[in-house]
Every structure is written in C-alpha cells, then in structure tokens.
Amino acid sequence: MKTVETLSALRAEIKAAKNAGKRVGFVPTMGNLHEGHMILVDQAHRECDFVVASIFVNPLQFNDIDDLGRYPRTLTADQQHLVDRDCDLLFYPSVDEMYPEGQDNQSKVSVPVVSEGLCGASRPGHFDGVSTVVSKLFNMVMPDAAFFGEKDYQQLAVIRKMTHDLNMALDIVGVTTCREDNGLAMSSRNNYLSEEERAQAGHIWKELNRVIDGLKAGSKNFFDLIQQGKINLIKQGFKPDYLEIRNAQTLKPVTESDEQVVVLVAAILGKARLIDNIRVDLSA
Ligand code: PAF
C-alpha cells in the first residue's frame, strides 16, 4: 500500500487507477483504526476494484480544542491495519495540504435540518466541519463510492443529503456498526474508557434495545420510553446528552404514524462521549 501526503500525488494515483478502468472505493477516517473501520475497507473491496482510505484529524469539526489535541494519532499501527486488509492507497494530508488558505478562509458546506439537534446541538459547527471536509475529500479522491459507519447515524444522514443536494456523482454506502461482545459500538473514543467503564458502557446498547422493544410492542408513549431510558443511564453512571426517537430518514422528531424510526443516544461516561443508535421498521 502506498501512502501519499499531497493532493498532486493522490491525483496521479487516482488517475492511473481510473485509466485502468477501476472502480474507486473510498473510506474517509480520522485514524486510530479499529475493526469498525476495517469492515468499511472490506465492504469497499466487495464493491470496488481500488480502495483508498484517508486519515485526517479534521480541526474544522472539533469545537473543543482539547478534544482535538487529545484525539489519538496512531499512524504506524493504522498503516499496518490497512495493509492487512489490502487497502490500495492511503491519503494522509497535513492540515496545510487540506486548508492551504487557512481554516477561517475556507469556503464551507452547510447542510440544513439534519445537521440540527442531536449532536449538532451540543457540538456547534461540527457538521459544517464534517460536510466541508468530506466534500473536499470527495473532490480530491473522486471516488465512485464512499463507505461510512452507521454508528454515526446523523453524520451519515448529513453526508447523504449533501451528496444528493449538491448532485455529487458517487454512491454513499452505510455499513452496519461493529460491536464489542457487550454491545458497545466500536469507536476510537472507547480508548478513553477504563476497563471498568468499558464493561459499564454496554448499558447504552441495553437501553437502546429497551426503547426499541417498547416501540415494537406498540407503545406510542415516546416521552415515557425516553425518560425511563435516561433515568436508567444516569443510574448506571452516565451523563446522557440526548436519548431521542426520530424519523429514520428526515431525523425529525418521531410522530405516531412514522414506521421507519431510529433511536439515537449520546452519553458521557468518564472522559468519553459515546454515541449509538438502532434503527427499526415498525411496519413489520
Ligand atoms: O467519521 C469520521 O471519522 C469523520 O467525521 C470523517 C467522516 C472522516 C470526516 O472527518
């Protein structure tokens, strides 16, 4: 696997792959790769002939400078993971390569409605940073398909809407969340958890499932389902940021007639802010 750090080197590699008639699959990441990322690479291999990953810790999407500073950077281990899964090319740009005119002077992409509320409420500017960097990366890599984890459900919804609204010619593929044995969704942020907290963190999955069971049993008492879930999380030592039931497509608050719904949670445990979700089809 080649690692390239500049846009010109990236473009040369992509041009060669496209000239050879290859379908290009892209897995954008911020590094600190785990199995959750690797299944994105595997899926990209199934659907494409040339797989490109990127590692870029994007300052534009961090509203907390300390959070940006402590974000784990593990390039050598990440390269090894990617080699093990036969990734063809790694794009590893510097901040200057991505934002040569400076971050404040960078044109921004902003996606309305789906960016608002949930993580958008507690992380102001976060999704503008994500949609801006992802649209830049799409223009740099020019992939035929890009692969994202469903764990970041709101991020995936933002990227799908951006791609649709801006007529970007690529497929966006959502890939099922990879979980630890206790249900904890894999995330780079799990590194901030102690052994004990990791075990405790499985309660997020339990609470999501409890809400889902209530919905499947026909409950329309959304408020009570959510309140009980929050109380249970607090009892387990979490500080819930949100626990919400939303329409799975629009991410608007759920209504009694919605059939495709998603239950989303963000909760703080120790030093980690954990997010997760479960989608359910209530028509079945
Ligand atoms: O999910 C991530 O790791 C990041 O938000 C992404 C999509 C790579 C953009 O920086």
Side-chain angles (χ1 to χ4, degrees):
M1 179 188 74
K2 246 191 203 172
T3 299
V4 291
E5 298 187 6
T6 63
L7 177 56
S8 54
L10 172 75
R11 288 215 157 118
E13 296 293 330
I14 299 288
K15 196 172 173 193
K18 292 215 167 187
N19 283 347
K22 292 185 177 169
R23 179 174 160 85
V24 175
F26 179 40
V27 180
T29 81
M30 297 206 300
N32 196 234
L33 303 181
H34 49 69
E35 192 53 27
H37 295 108
M38 291 304 109
I39 63 164
L40 301 181
V41 173
D42 293 347
Q43 189 60 34
H45 267 304
R46 266 178 230 118
E47 298 188 25
C48 302
D49 319 298
F50 187 79
V51 177
V52 184
S54 66
I55 295 177
F56 179 62
V57 183
N58 174 32
L60 221 55
Q61 70 189 73
F62 285 80
N63 50 323
D64 174 350
I65 190 88
D66 294 337
D67 192 21
L68 171 64
R70 71 184 178 146
Y71 200 86
R73 286 150 169 97
T74 51
L75 177 64
T76 310
D78 292 349
Q79 283 171 313
Q80 192 53 54
H81 283 306
L82 292 169
V83 167
D84 292 347
R85 298 303 249 265
D86 295 326
C87 182
D88 296 290
L89 183 65
L90 171 62
F91 181 44
Y92 180 64
S94 65
V95 173
D96 284 347
E97 190 69 15
M98 287 301 286
Y99 300 117
E101 313 301 329
Q103 291 168 55
D104 293 340
N105 216 12
Q106 167 68 49
S107 303
K108 308 270 167 26
V109 178
S110 185
V111 181
V113 189
V114 285
S115 300
E116 292 152 21
L118 304 169
C119 286
S122 52
R123 303 184 71 190
H126 168 69
F127 286 116
D128 288 358
V130 170
S131 39
T132 300
V133 81
V134 170
S135 56
K136 280 172 74 80
L137 287 165
F138 284 175
N139 285 336
M140 291 170 165
V141 177
M142 305 288 277
D144 297 288
F147 298 80
F148 296 87
E150 285 177 350
K151 182 187 73 85
D152 298 293
Y153 193 91
Q154 190 177 13
Q155 169 171 282
L156 182 55
V158 167
I159 291 166
R160 282 195 198 283
K161 181 165 165 58
M162 173 187 85
T163 312
H164 171 81
D165 288 355
L166 298 180
N167 310 94
M168 294 176 167
L170 79 163
D171 298 326
I172 302 298
V173 183
V175 179
T176 312
T177 304
C178 227
R179 299 184 179 280
E180 306 285 356
D181 290 344
N182 67 354
L184 173 65
M186 287 191 191
S187 163
S188 303
R189 289 179 189 272
N190 296 352
N191 285 341
Y192 303 150
L193 298 171
S194 66
E195 198 87 337
E196 203 182 311
E197 286 167 342
R198 240 171 217 264
Q200 205 179 343
H203 282 284
I204 288 201
W205 175 237
K206 274 198 190 143
E207 279 315 308
L208 281 175
N209 275 293
R210 203 191 50 78
V211 177
I212 291 287
D213 289 347
L215 292 171
K216 281 189 180 160
S219 173
K220 300 286 177 196
N221 198 339
F222 306 130
F223 182 80
D224 281 2
L225 283 173
I226 290 303
Q227 279 310 101
Q228 191 55 52
K230 283 186 186 166
I231 290 168
N232 294 348
L233 284 172
I234 291 167
K235 275 192 198 146
Q236 294 299 331
F238 293 87
K239 276 192 217 127
D241 178 359
Y242 61 77
L243 174 63
E244 294 200 30
I245 310 171
R246 297 268 178 133
N247 177 293
Q249 268 99 38
T250 61
L251 282 186
K252 288 186 181 157
V254 67
T255 64
E256 293 202 4
S257 59
D258 282 337
E259 292 184 335
Q260 302 298 322
V261 306
V262 57
V263 184
L264 306 111
V265 64
I268 294 159
L269 182 64
K271 293 196 184 81
R273 183 177 179 279
L274 305 171
I275 62 169
D276 203 351
N277 66 83
I278 304 182
R279 193 185 160 137
V280 65
D281 178 358
L282 295 177
S283 70

